[in-house]
Amino acid sequence: MTVTAASPRTAPDVPSESPAQPPESLAQPPVGPENVARALPNADLLHLEHDLPAPERERLRAIQEHLLSVVRPGSTEAWNREELPVELLPGLAELGLGRLALDGSSRLFQNLVHAQIARADLSLSALLGIHNELIVGTLTAFGSEEQKRTWLPGLTQLTQLGAFCLTEPEHGSDIAGGLSTTATRDADGWVLNGSKRWIGLGTVADLALVWARDTADGRIKCFAVDTSLPGYSATKIEHKIGLRIMQNADVELTDLRLPADALLPGAADFGATKDLLRDSRAWVGWQAVGAQQAVFDILREYTLTRVQFGRPIASFQLVQQVLAEVAGNLAASAGLMAQVTRVQDAGEMEMMHAALAKSTATRLARHSAAQARDALGGNGLLSDHGIAKIMADIEAIHTYEGSYHINSLIVARALTGISAFVS
């Protein structure tokens, strides 16, 4: 790192028998309290929480306090071991995070909560986001009254967990046209066969929402599957570099027999997923905001406390450039997502908006994490310091819910009217 001195001076010769000393131009007095302004205790650079009514603002701060004091420090060892820290779930349930989608709070509040969860840990953010957006959301929108009575109480208290089974080993971006898992109707109900991949919580879920193609009419439909049934098996995907707390799995469905009422009545066609997947894609943009808040937190605290050449490295010009760039990326992402929320509230959000938000915010998050990792030097390679963990997790959100390039093509298709997707 370098710093511009007030006036150039020539460093004195260092006697060969003496320990090497830093150049005199760098060996300045320590920075005093008057030169260290701690005016930004949190990462809400644009004061988005000020747009919330007072009760929601209070609730957000209570959630933030728990997440940063309990969840963030409690997640690192679980991340290192690739384990789900189930002991954290009751505390999250107490805060109402298992029923966030149903509690009547504003969309901005819910999105800011998702950002705060990501700020604490991206894996648990993925768990709670998918839980609210795709598990509770799908059951609420498309499930029968019986399905809701059976599953929602446990799910909303996080005493039961769900898995959204859509992606397959050979079909990710082309899942709508390529989905090959089958559902066959017979006199006793349905029989499901097929494979799913990258299924979050697939090994620990109580409920699996399985999307399968009806062999009679070719339509893709959704089924509520009790994972204790014969014919359902899941194997954890090991050795991931990111989202290591999230238990992703390969799921095998082998002659899995379901009653006739396992079909979600409102999800008898893949078109039912359009709004859910669009909203879920936008939610990833908020994950990227929270991830950048974590980057900002870690980078700022580290550079203010790490002393080299007698000064905190936050006083060095190159480090300040990184801090400013990380803050700029965070502010740009937060402002983008706040406006996307307004468009969403107005009922005007299209898939293009969600794809633009997700691809842009995760791209900026990825860049900021790399810059911050470098600023921490060798310590940035250790999960103990947080930045390596968040950097690896950002790689995952940059890829899932539509990869960066797929989302870019969705945006460009909307802008030009020309599809670049291979047909």
Side-chain angles (χ1 to χ4, degrees):
M1 301 299 176
T2 60
V3 62
T4 302
S7 58
R9 292 181 287 179
T10 303
D13 291 335
V14 178
S16 58
E17 69 272 18
S18 302
Q21 300 294 322
E24 186 180 339
S25 60
L26 290 177
Q28 301 176 37
V31 176
E34 69 279 4
N35 294 327
V36 181
R38 294 181 179 267
L40 293 170
N42 67 60
D44 184 13
L45 300 179
L46 298 183
H47 301 163
L48 297 186
E49 69 175 51
H50 292 184
D51 291 335
L52 298 174
E56 288 191 342
R57 198 157 57 243
E58 270 184 54
R59 185 182 171 201
L60 178 65
R61 288 173 182 167
I63 290 171
Q64 176 182 297
E65 168 63 25
H66 178 82
L67 290 169
L68 295 185
S69 64
V70 177
V71 174
R72 179 186 276 179
S75 66
T76 300
E77 278 309 306
W79 190 91
N80 287 337
R81 297 191 304 266
E82 292 189 88
E83 294 176 359
L84 176 65
V86 292
E87 68 276 7
L88 295 177
L89 296 183
L92 299 175
E94 269 188 49
L95 292 167
L97 301 187
R99 59 184 314 275
L100 193 59
L102 304 179
D103 66 9
S105 55
S106 69
R107 192 186 301 274
L108 178 61
F109 170 80
Q110 293 181 30
N111 288 333
L112 290 175
V113 168
H114 282 304
Q116 289 304 309
I117 303 167
R119 184 181 179 188
D121 181 78
L122 263 174
S123 290
L124 290 172
S125 165
L127 186 159
L128 289 171
I130 293 168
H131 173 89
N132 279 281
E133 296 285 332
L134 296 180
I135 303 300
V136 172
T138 297
L139 274 175
T140 301
F142 306 127
S144 67
E145 291 306 312
E146 178 60 27
Q147 288 166 340
K148 294 175 191 177
R149 280 193 298 271
T150 299
W151 294 108
L152 285 180
L155 290 170
T156 54
Q157 291 302 310
L158 297 178
T159 57
Q160 292 182 309
L161 297 172
F164 192 81
C165 301
L166 177 59
T167 303
E168 297 182 347
E170 303 302 326
H171 301 289
S173 300
D174 69 343
I175 192 68
L179 186 144
S180 59
T181 298
T182 61
T184 302
R185 188 75 162 88
D186 64 16
D188 299 319
W190 296 91
V191 181
L192 271 56
N193 281 284
S195 302
K196 299 291 182 179
R197 184 160 173 80
W198 294 113
I199 305 306
L201 302 182
T203 55
V204 297
D206 303 279
L207 166 71
L209 295 180
V210 177
W211 294 85
R213 193 180 299 278
D214 188 342
T215 55
D217 59 18
R219 292 184 177 180
I220 298 172
K221 301 176 179 181
C222 187
F223 300 84
V225 175
D226 182 331
T227 59
S228 66
L229 289 173
Y232 178 96
S233 66
T235 306
K236 178 181 171 183
I237 297 174
E238 305 272 4
H239 312 306
K240 296 182 300 174
I241 68 162
L243 296 189
R244 289 164 62 84
I245 284 174
M246 172 60 88
Q247 306 296 290
N248 291 94
D250 287 311
V251 173
E252 293 294 330
L253 308 167
T254 308
D255 294 329
L256 174 64
R257 289 202 158 271
L258 299 173
D261 60 4
L263 174 68
L264 273 64
D269 188 276
F270 194 67
T273 67
K274 179 184 175 184
D275 291 349
L276 286 170
L277 294 179
R278 181 200 62 204
D279 292 351
S280 180
R281 189 162 292 179
W283 153 75
V284 181
W286 283 105
Q287 279 193 293
V289 170
Q292 288 177 76
Q293 289 180 331
V295 170
F296 176 84
D297 290 339
I298 295 164
L299 176 65
R300 184 171 175 276
E301 181 63 24
Y302 184 87
T303 59
L304 284 169
T305 56
R306 172 71 167 172
V307 174
Q308 293 287 281
F309 303 115
R311 299 168 64 84
I313 65 172
S315 67
F316 298 167
Q317 289 178 355
L318 290 179
V319 174
Q320 290 204 355
Q321 171 62 34
V322 172
L323 278 161
E325 195 167 306
V326 166
N329 287 346
L330 168 56
S333 298
L336 168 65
M337 294 312 305
Q339 183 57 34
V340 167
T341 297
R342 295 185 187 102
V343 171
Q344 205 170 1
D345 276 337
E348 297 173 351
M349 189 171 79
E350 303 291 340
M351 185 61 85
M352 182 275 288
H353 298 111
L356 178 68
K358 189 268 182 184
S359 60
T360 302
T362 58
R363 170 172 56 84
L364 294 176
R366 198 182 194 209
H367 179 75
S368 288
Q371 293 285 89
R373 208 288 318 149
D374 185 61
L376 266 67
N379 285 333
L381 301 173
L382 303 173
S383 63
D384 294 359
H385 287 272
I387 200 65
K389 173 176 175 283
I390 196 72
M391 183 180 179
D393 286 344
I394 288 170
E395 285 299 299
I397 68 168
H398 188 256
T399 299
Y400 78 0
E401 293 287 346
S403 70
Y404 173 77
H405 293 99
I406 288 293
N407 278 299
S408 297
L409 293 180
I410 291 171
V411 174
R413 181 178 61 189
L415 298 177
T416 63
I418 301 170
S419 176
F421 290 99
V422 176
S423 57

